[in-house]
Amino acid sequence: MPAYNECMPATTENEPIKIVHAVCSHDCPDSCAVLVTVNAEGRAVRVQGDPSHPVTQGFLCGKVAKYLDRVYSPQRLLYPLRRKAGVPKGPLEKGREMEAFERVSWDQALEAIAAKLQETAERHGPESVLPYSYAGTIGLLGFGSMDRRFFHRLGASRLDRTICAEAGGEAWKLVYGKKLGTPNEEFPKAKLIIAWGANIHGNNVHLWPFVEQARRNGARLIVIDPYRTRTAALADWHIAIRPGTDVALALGMMHVILRDGLEDREYIDRMTHGFGDLAERVKEYTPERVAEWTGLTAAEVESLAREYATARPAVIRMNYGVQRSQNGGTAVRAIAMLPVLTGSWKQRGGGAQMSTSGAFKFNSIAVERPDLMKASPLGRAARVVNMSRLGHALTELGVADADGPRVHALFVYNSNPAAIAPNQNAVRRGMERADLFTVVHEQFLTDTTDYADFVLPATTFLEHTDIQGAYGHYYLQKSTQAIEPLGEARSNVWLFAQLAKRMGFTEQCFDDTSEDMIRQALDPGADGLSRNPGMEHVSPESLAESGHVALGFYRDGARETFLPYSEGEMATPSGRIEFSSEVLRAAGVDPLPAYLAPVESRTGPDAGRFPLEFLPRKADNYMNSTFANLDGHRSMEAKTGQRLEIHSADAVARGIADGDAVRVWNDRGSLRLTALVSEKIPAGVVAGKLDWNKFSADGQNVNVLTSERLTDVGRAATFYSVLVEVAKI
Ligand code: SF4
């Protein structure tokens, strides 16, 4: 195995180069191993997938294959910026954004920001400072390390990072206690693959070769998704379910499986808790009732259930789209129970995968240092603010005394909330507040920097060192800095260590380097509480050696393969897989899954207020809002960008023709798009894509329509429970 982080011999060109093992840190299950070729001038000249990584298999997706366009983009932010005196917050005409700012040195920026945070904390209390970050980088240090230490020591509000995966994650844990899933390498053994809310070909592309291998071996692929995605178009059967009705379908499948005696009693008796209660519950979910909710026929429900239960092995790839409905937590719970009923976890090529992240147990206490909250002026744990309700947090929180202080300082990094947060009009009203001090650490000028008092240049994953787990495989990786930071760009670790010094924080942990924190993350600690049975053999040295290391329980040679939940791995209160959740029972909530229509759905309490269900879809060639500013990526989205996809029946009913300008609205906002009459979307559902506000005709995006209502489990955003109406302009 080559030591990628060392200089390699000269190539055919007579210039010495090195090849560095990095890891794509974008928010994607694949966490690809990336080999970065660096020339003698220290410039990255090539990125490629690492052929020795068993999941990356030598290729990168279309988003990252052209990554050097992003790293060396002429639009990269290269030095700190301060808003010019007298320039109000808010977007300027596209291309003129820089006119709002003036260049300052890092010293000037850090001094001014530290002074303002200090003043804000003293005047309004430290909880008036709100960090806002998510998965702009999912490297361990970039996602959460020195920043957490800094905000804990300051006494800032804590952010409940719920915007993406919390509903599904919490729900999975209610059933199993720990997030594990079928390894990608087992998928070729499946005879049936169900992609449930999972656009594998679009945004989990390194699973696709394993799916193709299974299909060459005779497997069928079924896709359950309201939208005809790339994956659905390639499937043997596309089930265009109504949004937010996945719970009903999963319960209907259970009804058929149990009615017809297709369950695995041996596995159920040995491994589960609450089976009798579940069996009673699903009796009411007849195929006929389920058909009414889901828009399928009863025969389709029967057929799906029987095929799933009799094709052995069968594996389900569920992705996070499923859990972005109001009942999304219950949807994930119900789907996650299917392989338990059939005993599919026992078989190679069976089971399910939503996330493998539970396998990576870093020592987060050492990395994030929550104990520092006690040393803050608060002297206690700070309040928690839910990021999925940022609009509320910036406009209403603190009006009642019991909430604590209003938010007076917002520190954004790894995120673009002006574009990605729900209820965008409320978010932007809050960000426009003259009394809100906003700092944004970014690689580009975004929709959010339009509201910043200071903009600080951030590094890309080629320009800093990190380690990274994954939520789509079982390899722990080191991402080694390949090139010097461009201009004056700096990493999150550097930024928050510098700010800590300016704030007078004297704790030694603020002197830690990235390498120090990597060592701490992998150290189980004196009490061993953070010890992960799969990670004892992983050390900074072993990671530096090859760049990626398979987790031990998965590739330790002790077992032929890793079959999660076949014998153990549960971490629930009962120690068993829970059909009936003891956590929910203790909370006084119905412990069994049940279908409740989202408030905003065609069968929910708000049905009729607006007639169409709206899907604010992710673009295949962006990563949420990341990459949307690059011409090459935009051109790949040109066909559906700034369009409203609408079924011909809904279009005709409104006198709308393909290419017409249309208005989409509900009681939160209104958006102008161009109609794209499409059969990729079923009647009754319309879809638009997430994009930057500044690329749209009216300076806003799909999130003017989404709400701050939260999911049933995990307090997460409900992007896919939205009702709208559409009219021709
Ligand atoms: S975005 Fe995903 S598929 Fe693309 S390179 Fe990064 S990890 Fe791999």
Side-chain angles (χ1 to χ4, degrees):
M1 185 86 73
Y4 288 118
N5 304 326
E6 297 170 358
C7 275
M8 302 292 281
T11 59
T12 49
E13 314 292 336
N14 279 334
E15 69 187 273
I17 60 166
K18 61 177 179 177
I19 297 177
V20 180
H21 184 290
V23 186
C24 174
S25 68
H26 291 283
D27 187 4
C28 168
D30 299 10
S31 279
C32 286
V34 181
L35 300 182
V36 185
T37 304
V38 182
N39 73 9
E41 285 77 49
R43 187 179 175 90
V45 293
R46 187 179 184 204
V47 290
Q48 63 185 120
D50 183 348
S52 75
H53 189 290
V55 175
T56 304
Q57 296 194 72
F59 75 97
L60 302 173
C61 68
K63 293 183 271 278
V64 173
K66 294 184 288 187
Y67 204 67
L68 298 183
D69 290 353
R70 179 176 177 83
V71 174
Y72 295 111
S73 165
Q75 281 136 34
R76 269 292 296 276
L77 280 168
L78 298 177
Y79 42 80
L81 300 171
R82 176 174 58 199
R83 181 167 294 277
K84 288 178 185 164
V87 177
K89 294 178 184 181
L92 291 179
E93 191 183 316
K94 191 171 161 311
R96 294 184 51 205
E97 293 91 341
M98 198 59 104
E99 293 175 21
F101 298 103
E102 59 193 356
R103 179 175 180 173
V104 290
S105 69
W106 266 108
D107 273 339
Q108 287 171 307
L110 291 167
E111 287 296 337
I113 292 166
K116 186 69 182 177
L117 293 180
Q118 189 73 48
E119 181 207 317
T120 303
E122 284 170 5
R123 194 156 161 216
H124 304 288
E127 288 167 310
S128 65
V129 178
L130 178 67
Y132 188 98
S133 72
Y134 198 67
T137 170
I138 60 170
L140 182 81
L141 304 184
F143 180 78
S145 59
M146 196 64 85
D147 56 310
R148 304 294 203 272
R149 295 177 181 184
F150 174 78
F151 289 115
H152 288 332
R153 176 63 182 81
L154 178 62
S157 289
R158 287 176 291 162
L159 189 71
D160 199 3
R161 290 177 170 81
T162 58
I163 202 150
C164 178
E166 202 67 8
E170 289 293 308
W172 187 277
K173 286 194 273 184
L174 288 175
V175 180
Y176 297 104
K178 186 173 183 181
K179 285 188 282 181
L180 299 172
T182 306
N184 292 2
E185 294 93 322
E186 294 297 314
F187 275 64
K189 299 182 184 68
K191 285 288 170 250
L192 173 67
I193 298 171
I194 297 182
W196 201 318
N199 182 10
I200 299 169
H201 198 274
N203 46 38
N204 179 199
V205 69
H206 290 83
L207 180 58
W208 188 251
F210 299 102
V211 173
E212 281 193 316
Q213 216 178 320
R215 297 182 87 188
R216 281 196 295 276
N217 295 339
R220 266 168 56 83
L221 173 66
I222 297 176
V223 172
I224 303 173
D225 197 311
Y227 186 86
R228 193 166 177 79
T229 60
R230 276 192 222 168
T231 314
L234 293 166
D236 297 293
W237 184 12
H238 172 210
I239 298 175
I241 189 172
R242 286 181 182 159
T245 63
D246 308 82
V247 185
L249 181 58
L251 292 172
M253 290 171 70
M254 292 185 204
H255 173 100
V256 174
I257 290 168
L258 295 180
R259 183 199 65 195
D260 295 355
L262 299 174
E263 74 276 19
D264 182 336
R265 281 298 177 128
E266 181 279 326
Y267 182 78
I268 290 168
D269 291 345
R270 181 163 55 86
M271 299 291 285
T272 73
H273 169 79
F275 173 69
D277 293 338
L278 180 77
E280 273 307 307
R281 171 62 54 90
V282 301
K283 279 181 182 162
E284 62 195 84
Y285 290 89
T286 62
E288 292 72 23
R289 282 191 80 197
V290 169
E292 284 172 25
W293 288 313
T294 57
L296 311 181
T297 64
E300 286 172 323
V301 177
E302 293 264 359
S303 173
L304 175 66
R306 292 192 63 81
E307 181 170 353
Y308 173 68
T310 55
R312 301 295 177 99
V315 66
I316 298 173
R317 176 59 167 117
M318 175 172 31
N319 215 332
Y320 284 102
V322 168
Q323 46 100 68
R324 294 198 182 111
S325 294
Q326 195 185 350
N327 58 14
T330 306
V332 168
R333 277 181 74 212
I335 297 166
M337 291 173 188
L338 288 168
V340 188
L341 276 191
T342 60
S344 172
W345 289 112
K346 295 190 304 193
Q347 296 174 298
R348 296 192 66 173
Q353 188 196 98
M354 185 186 73
S355 171
T356 58
S357 64
F360 300 89
K361 194 167 189 315
F362 299 107
N363 189 340
S364 61
I365 290 176
V367 173
E368 300 179 10
R369 295 290 306 272
D371 59 296
L372 290 170
M373 284 189 280
K374 287 231 175 72
S376 77
L378 282 179
R380 59 167 169 81
R383 74 174 173 191
V384 176
V385 174
N386 190 334
M387 72 186 304
S388 297
R389 302 194 68 211
L390 181 63
H392 172 267
L394 296 181
T395 58
E396 294 178 48
L397 187 71
V399 172
D401 286 347
D403 292 341
R406 294 201 82 190
V407 175
H408 285 278
L410 179 69
F411 204 124
V412 179
Y413 52 106
N414 296 344
S415 189
N416 182 11
I420 59 88
N423 198 10
Q424 184 177 100
N425 284 331
V427 171
R428 299 205 302 184
R429 259 199 324 277
M431 295 183 84
E432 275 167 2
R433 279 172 41 202
D435 64 338
L436 180 73
F437 176 68
T438 300
V439 180
V440 182
H441 187 220
E442 250 299 354
Q443 295 164 356
F444 293 92
L445 289 176
T446 64
D447 289 332
T448 302
T449 59
D450 286 342
Y451 299 88
D453 293 284
F454 279 88
V455 182
L456 307 174
T459 44
T460 66
F461 72 81
L462 268 57
E463 299 156 64
H464 56 243
T465 290
D466 212 326
I467 56 171
Q468 193 166 312
Y471 58 98
H473 60 68
Y474 290 109
Y475 295 86
L476 178 56
Q477 304 188 77
K478 180 164 188 185
S479 189
T480 298
Q481 181 178 337
I483 57 172
E484 289 302 312
L486 266 74
E488 296 175 14
R490 294 292 179 267
S491 69
N492 296 6
V493 170
W494 183 91
L495 166 61
F496 289 104
Q498 290 295 317
L499 273 177
K501 287 190 178 27
R502 300 299 207 284
M503 298 286 290
F505 300 161
T506 54
E507 286 81 0
Q508 209 182 342
C509 65
F510 292 111
D511 294 326
D512 285 346
T513 63
S514 293
E515 296 293 347
D516 292 333
M517 285 193 287
I518 288 171
R519 197 164 289 282
Q520 291 157 9
L522 296 174
D523 183 342
D527 54 11
L529 284 178
S530 300
R531 184 176 297 283
N532 186 328
M535 283 171 52
E536 302 97 335
H537 64 303
V538 183
S539 65
E541 292 73 27
S542 63
L543 279 175
E545 173 66 22
S546 68
H548 52 265
V549 177
L551 297 190
F553 63 85
Y554 165 62
R555 283 283 171 92
D556 64 358
R559 300 194 235 188
E560 191 186 357
T561 188
F562 175 52
L563 298 178
Y565 314 120
S566 56
E567 301 291 339
E569 283 102 18
M570 288 82 71
T572 56
S574 66
R576 295 178 145 234
I577 300 169
E578 294 196 351
F579 290 126
S580 178
S581 167
E582 288 306 312
V583 173
L584 294 182
R585 189 189 306 281
V589 179
D590 181 0
L592 293 164
Y595 173 63
L596 287 175
V599 169
E600 290 195 44
S601 67
R602 73 183 80 183
T603 52
D606 274 8
R609 290 192 62 205
F610 299 96
L612 297 167
E613 290 172 311
F614 179 62
L615 292 178
R617 300 192 63 242
K618 308 285 180 75
D620 286 341
N621 297 291
Y622 309 155
M623 185 66 68
N624 297 312
S625 78
T626 305
F627 297 109
N629 59 320
L630 300 177
D631 290 343
H633 292 69
R634 289 198 73 75
S635 65
M636 293 192 283
E637 289 293 328
K639 209 168 163 194
T640 51
Q642 298 298 321
R643 303 287 201 282
L644 181 82
E645 292 189 72
I646 184 167
H647 188 272
S648 54
D650 295 320
V652 168
R654 290 163 177 78
I656 293 169
D658 196 71
D660 281 347
V662 294
R663 190 167 77 89
V664 195
W665 77 94
N666 59 22
D667 48 11
R668 289 176 291 274
S670 171
L671 183 64
R672 183 191 162 109
L673 293 169
T674 302
L676 175 62
V677 177
S678 166
E679 305 306 312
K680 286 185 177 174
I681 198 96
V685 185
V686 290
K689 278 192 177 170
L690 179 65
D691 200 346
W692 284 18
N693 302 333
K694 54 177 88 241
F695 287 107
S696 72
D698 48 8
Q700 52 192 8
N701 74 11
V702 291
N703 277 316
V704 295
L705 303 168
T706 56
S707 83
E708 293 185 86
R709 193 174 279 120
L710 299 178
T711 50
D712 52 353
V713 175
R715 315 160 304 285
T718 54
F719 290 109
Y720 297 158
S721 294
V722 179
L723 288 172
V724 297
E725 177 56 295
V726 178
K728 183 173 169 175
I729 296 176

